[in-house]
Amino acid sequence: MGAASGGFVHLHTHSPFSFMDGAASIEGLIARAAELEMPALALTDHQGLSGAIRFYTACKAAGIMPLVGCEVVVETAGVAGGEADLPPEARLVTPASVGFGRASASGFHLTLLARDFEGYRNLCRLLSRTHLRGAEVPSVVHLHDLKTFSGGLIGLSGCGNGEAAQAVAAGHAGRASAAIARLSDCFEPGSFYVELVHTLTVHAPRVISGLVRVADDLGLPVVATNDVHYLRARDHRLHDVLSAAGARMALPGPYDRPNGELWLKPASAMRELFSGIERACDATLEIAARCAGFELPLGEFHFPGADIPAGETPYSVLAKESWRGLEHRYRPMTPEAIRRLQHELALIDQMGFPEYFLVVKEIVDFAKRSGIRCSGRGSAGDSIVSYALGITDADPVRHDLLFERFLNPERRQMPDIDVDFDSARRDEIIDFIYRRFGHEHVAMVATVNTTTARSAVRIAARAFGLPIAEVNSLSRHLPWVSARKIREVLESYPECRDHPLHDPRYTPILEIAEQLDHTPTHLGTHLGGFIITREPVASWMPLQWAAKGTVVSQYDKDDIEVLGLVKMDILGLRTHSAISEAVELARARVGEDAVPEPFDLVPDDPRVYEQVSSADTVGMFQLESSGQRNLSTRLKPSRFEDIIAQISLFRPGPLEAEMIVPFIRRRHGLEPVSVPHEGMRAVLGDTYGVIVYQEQVLLVARAVAGFGLAEADSLRRAMTKGRSREEMERIRGHFLERALARGVDAEVAAEVFRQLEGFAAYGFNKAHAACFAVVSYATAWLRTYYPGEFATAILNNEPMGFYTPRLVVNDARRHGIRILPPHINASEARYTVEEAGTAIRVGLRDVHRMTARLLEEIPRERTVRPFCDLTDFLRRTRAEVSATESLIRIGALDGLGITEADRPPTRDELLALLPEVKAVLAREGSAGDDVLCLAPAPVRPAEDASHVSGWSPARRLSAELELVGLSLTDHPLALATADLIARGVTWARDLRELPDRSRVRVCGVRERAQTPRTRSGKRTCFLTLEDPTGLLDVVVFSDTLARAGDVIVKHRAYLIDGTLQNNCERGLAIVANDIKPYVVRTASGSPVRMRRGVPSGPMGPSLGGAGAPEEESWSEVAIAAEERAGWGEGRT
Amino acid sequence: MGRNAAIKRYDATPAGQPLELFDSTRSRRPVIVELLRSPWIVRASEIGRSDGGCATKRVEESVSVEWDAHRQCPLSFTRSDRRYIVDAVIQVWATERRWWDPRRHVSRRFFRVLSQGGVYDLAFDRARGGWLLTGIQD
């Protein structure tokens, strides 16, 4: 690639990874460059390399040379000090801030390109050093850093926002010259170019001419770029919208660009723009040629250093540890286990992965040493080495798990072992990793957040300058679909029937939003992904501060895998925290030795299986969702293998392939177990001839066609991913040939292949299910034997699982556990167990407006002596009025104090007294007042004199739901029992007794609504409702959904007429025919709340139990509408 | 000879014509075009006045333009029934502003041309689809 005239390479190109300043997708840029026959293309996003790896691999695949670089903000070079130090007439306008999050900065731009791998590493180091200088320090590249890390880099002086270009434009040629001289001095000789950008403005020729003169004077080469921000001229609108929204401004945004010329122009157009300066275009080819040596070392693995004693090798250590573990796991050790371990160790050694296993083991060992509950999951469960090392807990021999599904020797891929840790103690694990491997060798993995329909509409609407209320109304209530589907959902989804986006004046917003589909908008931090490297992470990838104050890579997990680096998922599982806490609570009550370790239980307790098969599974890991509860009643699990099957069957793949029906029918003898080939009978015996697990695909291929397991896994993968018709035909031919060679009948072989083809893509990883099943059984056992402790532990570790705390509380109450309201003389911050495990006391931390100080103060003061009344409480805790008001309203001061009527004050009286007492206490000490007894202010008479609060049940319930998000007294619909009975409503608990196909009317509060994809492509909604007696599963098929979809979205409680489905084949559910909203009202006519109305306590939704407020309904208008329509309404 | 070749090549002291710099329009035109295209020369008409305007006469007249599809530039334009042959295109630039506001949207491609001794700014209005004469420079 010489400097032959006629060609051109774009050396300054932005992708969406410039975060809100690039509108051309990486794929689009590469495809267009290929179409324009450009030999190379550079990617120079702002302040980072987030798109670099995918750009590199995509360019290689397209046959285009990738030039990796970025555009950084660099400190002022042309004058000493900053702009503010200069006289006004000499100052330049500082460009707007670019980059994302704490890696953003405003200042002059400089373009950098990596000439070779060393240049790439220096670029990573330079960016990391700049971004990590200080969390609050702007990410501006210092010149001395630039000089230090410029090896292997080529520098271009910057676009129109470069200091030199700005200085020339402002008529300060001397400053431009000084800036370029100083910048060029930072680079190796011959590695700095003066960048010329012709943006087709009136002044562009003058700026270019000035820069050429400066370059000529300094003897530096010039190079032409177009500062590409979008693919084609028409896309400038998209870019304007992005940059405006990114700067949180209305259009025209921070740049107010004069035109839309920053597109990927063909070589001819670029050469025409620079017709007098051909050498500037020739230089692009010359730079590309200089960067031809840049290659990322892909296909190699780079493991962090494991702890290997002198004289040992990673393999020898792994082998010793594995054999030791095997001895512990298998008593007695079986020949099969020995054979498998030998086989796996040989393969692991051959593939070069011993160090990886040892690193995972080190982390797991630390967790176990520290008493932190953890469990491995995923395909790692297929390995007996993982099992022997204590990383996973499911026996691969017993469950017929296949190592080749985890590590296929035919495909050398980085192994991925996922381990879940007790989320409450995950920080200790993270702390260990940093200590063990060193802070420079560990970083968190990034996630790339992209637009959905909602965010795309928000971006467009904000850029168009709409008020925030209007922006909210446009984006809310859009389903979670991709932006390109907005029009489709507006037209077809019943809940979007009245959506404001139907208004034609929003058409431009809609058009822009659609084009923003899947645009990266910002970097997030992976929930638990850590990169651990032997060399400092910063020599592999740029690092920056995340919002949380941790160091995060600019690469996501896929990029890291491409680079061959180790990513460990240190995931927090709240179920582990709940299990640990439930065990602790149970042991505190019944004794340390009375409660065994749940993970070590022999999973054969009939009482546990009885509870699972009766669908009484709220809180059970992986078994509690409405679909799983339905499956429980159909499957009737009675052994551990059934739990594994149950976890595997209710997954998108098996559901889509409709595997459940034949599985259930065969299990209950409703249809015979038939397999086309006898070899399959043994392999598929556990699943009644249905291919449920991915491991079974391998076994069938081996049994019928004689495939090796590794070969069979390759076949499975080929059948699973991106199958073209031709590819499938090739695989089929290969399979049939092998089967026929083994004497299998052609028709039989064809039928086996048809079944493999049908199920391979949908099967579930059995190892993953088996690892989960261990945890599921532990939760089921705890729920069976220690329901009070288990529910308390769940509530203390919310949010977790499928249901809200509200439902967990209601479920506990239905199981005879008393729910005690929060009380200042009894409650701790967290939920506690009382009355020998038969009652749960609600903790104070979920009460609205509670402060962290009060949560410590109340229990501490109580240990001195109990609070005797409101004054005593306020005096000793100095509680804020707002928090005290919440406590009074929730009943936490019920029964305290005495009034003149010789009874405790009602809540209304306490509320009336509160400001007076507060005022008196404020004067205490200064005015000498010490008022202990105050006459309560006149308040409205008690609604319910029989209750200490004086409040009616409806009012109490509304306050409970509003302030803690829980219905402590009773289920809200219990207030309307009489009305519901009069309407002929059947309770959830009675449905099981009714015959199949009965017509029923039910009423429930929405807990969950799901619309999973179905094979037919039609929308079906699965509603999980709750009435006072239990859970209701309602299926809303597309025709009913079309009529009632908006009712489902806009309301919380419904009256549903439908047909009962109650048979062993399909389970228990109601098929809805008609759905109407239902409102419970108090005697005064105000609606009783169904949802939390205010945020939780000081811990916030992540730690607080009840979480964030939920919408009661779409709007008051909706309630008014239902009143007009005379829909269901019950008064208490 | 690089940049400004026409100026450098021109013999400023031809024999027998001591007073005239150029012997004909033909010999003068390349030099003028080059001078007009030279970004380092700022014409008096472009210098801003204290009131914010400049000496350029700004107009907004519809004109008809004969388009050279091969060279992608105007060949001639007709103003007040008078046809102006374009001798040279001096500069091209583009404007794209307020596209989100249909009433104030401006989308034009400008051609500064030399025609019959004058410099004119022609603009093709992409939003409305017509040619305009937007400025008379000299």
Side-chain angles (χ1 to χ4, degrees), chain A residues 381-716:
Chain A
D382 279 307
S383 161
I384 201 168
V385 172
S386 303
Y387 183 58
L389 294 177
I391 296 168
T392 56
D393 289 307
D395 181 350
V397 176
R398 180 183 163 190
H399 302 304
D400 227 355
L401 308 179
L402 303 176
F403 179 71
E404 283 73 7
R405 167 64 189 84
F406 171 51
L407 285 181
N408 185 342
E410 285 189 355
R411 305 173 70 257
R412 192 166 173 267
Q413 270 190 328
M414 176 69 87
D416 188 12
I417 301 179
D418 294 330
V419 184
D420 292 324
F421 296 90
D422 179 339
S423 67
R425 300 185 63 189
R426 195 180 74 115
D427 287 351
E428 294 174 48
I429 304 286
I430 294 168
D431 187 46
F432 167 76
I433 291 174
Y434 277 105
R435 276 189 284 112
R436 162 66 184 85
F437 298 98
H439 281 258
E440 286 197 341
H441 301 261
V442 180
M444 293 209 72
V445 178
T447 53
V448 178
N449 294 349
T450 57
T451 50
T452 59
R454 286 187 185 200
S455 53
V457 166
R458 289 190 76 82
I459 287 172
R462 279 166 59 175
F464 275 76
L466 301 189
I468 193 68
E470 202 171 346
V471 174
N472 287 340
S473 75
L474 292 181
S475 62
R476 272 160 126 187
H477 308 303
L478 275 177
W480 293 106
V481 293
S482 65
R484 72 190 149 79
K485 284 191 169 178
I486 298 177
R487 268 178 226 265
E488 189 186 321
V489 300
L490 285 175
E491 281 161 20
S492 60
Y493 281 29
E495 61 266 36
C496 294
R497 206 173 284 149
D498 304 324
H499 199 283
L501 274 173
H502 285 291
D503 191 329
R505 69 200 162 97
Y506 296 126
T507 304
I509 290 177
L510 200 57
E511 283 170 0
I512 292 283
E514 281 174 322
Q515 292 177 60
L516 287 174
D517 181 42
H518 216 63
T519 302
T521 52
H522 61 279
L523 280 184
T525 308
H526 192 279
L527 275 177
F530 284 85
I531 313 146
I532 309 175
T533 54
R534 192 185 296 264
E535 296 165 285
V537 186
S539 63
W540 281 105
M541 63 198 73
L543 305 172
Q544 65 179 72
W545 288 110
K548 294 175 190 167
T550 51
V551 172
V552 64
S553 130
Q554 287 190 341
Y555 290 165
D556 74 358
K557 63 182 176 62
D558 297 330
D559 298 335
I560 287 156
E561 191 178 331
V562 169
L563 281 175
L565 298 172
V566 168
K567 176 189 75 87
M568 288 281 306
D569 278 343
I570 309 296
L571 297 167
L573 186 64
R574 285 173 184 263
T575 301
H576 280 339
S577 314
I579 291 173
S580 296
E581 187 172 345
V583 170
E584 205 176 299
L585 289 170
R587 285 180 179 164
R589 180 163 67 84
V590 298
E592 195 67 28
D593 301 330
V595 184
E597 162 54 41
F599 281 10
D600 294 340
L601 292 166
V602 179
D604 59 358
D605 189 328
R607 270 188 69 190
V608 173
Y609 290 108
E610 194 182 312
Q611 192 157 48
V612 177
S613 49
S614 63
D616 191 7
T617 57
V618 172
M620 288 185 197
F621 183 65
Q622 293 288 316
L623 299 176
E624 63 173 342
S625 71
S626 50
Q628 285 286 7
R629 284 188 303 100
N630 176 284
L631 185 56
S632 287
T633 58
R634 298 155 70 187
L635 192 69
K636 302 277 180 209
S638 58
R639 57 195 182 117
F640 192 66
E641 279 67 26
D642 296 340
I643 303 277
I644 299 176
Q646 186 172 338
I647 289 173
S648 307
L649 281 168
F650 202 78
R651 298 280 162 181
L655 280 174
E656 205 175 327
E658 292 178 2
M659 294 175 183
I660 295 179
V661 175
F663 188 96
I664 300 286
R665 287 182 63 82
R666 292 176 186 192
R667 179 175 167 83
H668 297 304
L670 297 173
E671 71 175 45
V673 175
S674 63
V675 285
H677 186 272
E678 272 311 301
M680 293 167 73
R681 196 170 292 280
V683 170
L684 304 178
D686 272 356
T687 52
Y688 311 99
V690 180
I691 302 171
V692 176
Y693 308 120
Q694 293 166 353
E695 285 85 346
Q696 289 175 326
V697 175
L698 275 63
L699 292 171
V700 168
R702 181 169 72 174
V704 178
F707 278 62
L709 288 175
E711 194 185 5
D713 185 62
S714 301
L715 172 93
R716 183 192 66 79

Side-chain angles (χ1 to χ4, degrees), chain B residues 87-98:
Chain B
D87 295 324
V89 176
I90 294 163
Q91 194 186 343
V92 180
W93 73 95
T95 295
E96 184 74 47
R97 287 197 178 272
R98 303 197 70 83

Side-chain angles (χ1 to χ4, degrees), chain A residues 365-383:
Chain A
D365 280 353
F366 167 78
K368 292 191 170 171
R369 268 199 317 275
S370 311
I372 300 170
R373 190 172 296 280
C374 64
S375 61
R377 63 178 166 93
S379 59
D382 279 307
S383 161

Side-chain angles (χ1 to χ4, degrees), chain A residues 244-260:
Chain A
R248 298 181 182 276
M249 294 169 72
L251 284 164
Y255 304 112
D256 193 10
R257 296 191 192 278
N259 59 33

Side-chain angles (χ1 to χ4, degrees), chain A residues 560-898:
Chain A
I560 287 156
E561 191 178 331
V562 169
L563 281 175
L565 298 172
V566 168
K567 176 189 75 87
M568 288 281 306
D569 278 343
I570 309 296
L571 297 167
L573 186 64
R574 285 173 184 263
T575 301
H576 280 339
S577 314
I579 291 173
S580 296
E581 187 172 345
V583 170
E584 205 176 299
L585 289 170
R587 285 180 179 164
R589 180 163 67 84
V590 298
E592 195 67 28
D593 301 330
V595 184
E597 162 54 41
F599 281 10
D600 294 340
L601 292 166
V602 179
D604 59 358
D605 189 328
R607 270 188 69 190
V608 173
Y609 290 108
E610 194 182 312
Q611 192 157 48
V612 177
S613 49
S614 63
D616 191 7
T617 57
V618 172
M620 288 185 197
F621 183 65
Q622 293 288 316
L623 299 176
E624 63 173 342
S625 71
S626 50
Q628 285 286 7
R629 284 188 303 100
N630 176 284
L631 185 56
S632 287
T633 58
R634 298 155 70 187
L635 192 69
K636 302 277 180 209
S638 58
R639 57 195 182 117
F640 192 66
E641 279 67 26
D642 296 340
I643 303 277
I644 299 176
Q646 186 172 338
I647 289 173
S648 307
L649 281 168
F650 202 78
R651 298 280 162 181
L655 280 174
E656 205 175 327
E658 292 178 2
M659 294 175 183
I660 295 179
V661 175
F663 188 96
I664 300 286
R665 287 182 63 82
R666 292 176 186 192
R667 179 175 167 83
H668 297 304
L670 297 173
E671 71 175 45
V673 175
S674 63
V675 285
H677 186 272
E678 272 311 301
M680 293 167 73
R681 196 170 292 280
V683 170
L684 304 178
D686 272 356
T687 52
Y688 311 99
V690 180
I691 302 171
V692 176
Y693 308 120
Q694 293 166 353
E695 285 85 346
Q696 289 175 326
V697 175
L698 275 63
L699 292 171
V700 168
R702 181 169 72 174
V704 178
F707 278 62
L709 288 175
E711 194 185 5
D713 185 62
S714 301
L715 172 93
R716 183 192 66 79
R717 285 172 193 268
M719 290 167 100
T720 307
K721 290 185 178 174
R723 299 175 293 178
S724 66
R725 185 180 292 274
E726 295 75 29
E727 176 69 2
M728 209 54 189
E729 275 308 308
R730 194 190 60 74
I731 297 169
R732 184 173 186 274
H734 182 54
F735 180 86
L736 295 184
E737 189 185 323
R738 296 282 294 269
L740 293 178
R742 286 166 57 87
V744 178
D745 182 73
E747 276 184 24
V748 170
E751 173 58 19
V752 173
F753 187 80
R754 192 193 65 75
Q755 290 196 9
L756 286 179
E757 187 184 9
F759 291 105
Y762 303 107
F764 195 66
N765 180 209
K766 188 178 182 185
H768 185 53
C771 292
F772 270 0
V774 173
V775 185
S776 300
Y777 187 85
T779 53
W781 184 84
L782 282 167
R783 192 180 190 279
T784 306
Y785 289 99
Y786 299 97
E789 284 81 1
F790 185 62
T792 305
I794 286 182
L795 289 166
N796 276 334
N797 288 285
E798 291 281 3
M800 60 175 280
F802 189 77
Y803 300 110
T804 57
R806 177 179 53 248
L807 194 137
V808 175
V809 163
N810 292 344
D811 182 70
R813 188 191 303 111
R814 283 193 289 271
H815 285 76
I817 296 169
R818 292 208 317 134
I819 307 299
L820 307 173
H823 199 280
I824 54 169
N825 275 341
S827 287
E828 303 291 334
R830 292 159 70 83
Y831 292 74
T832 47
V833 186
E834 291 185 12
E835 300 174 13
T838 61
I840 296 172
R841 174 72 68 182
V842 176
L844 293 171
R845 71 172 191 185
D846 283 340
V847 179
H848 180 49
R849 289 174 178 155
M850 281 296 281
T851 61
R853 184 190 67 80
L854 261 187
L855 286 178
E856 285 180 16
E857 199 74 16
I858 293 173
R860 189 166 56 225
E861 278 296 324
R862 205 169 58 211
T863 55
V864 179
R865 64 172 194 279
F867 298 104
C868 61
D869 57 18
L870 175 65
T871 312
D872 183 37
F873 172 70
L874 290 173
R875 177 178 289 138
R876 286 163 59 195
T877 61
R878 298 279 161 191
E880 296 78 4
V881 171
S882 53
T884 312
E885 192 181 302
S886 292
L887 287 169
I888 292 171
R889 290 183 62 209
I890 199 68
L893 276 83
D894 277 1
L896 294 185
I898 195 81

Side-chain angles (χ1 to χ4, degrees), chain A residues 344-356:
Chain A
E344 286 190 19
L345 282 174
L347 283 179
I348 290 168
D349 187 35
Q350 180 194 322
M351 294 166 90
F353 296 146
E355 272 192 299
Y356 178 76

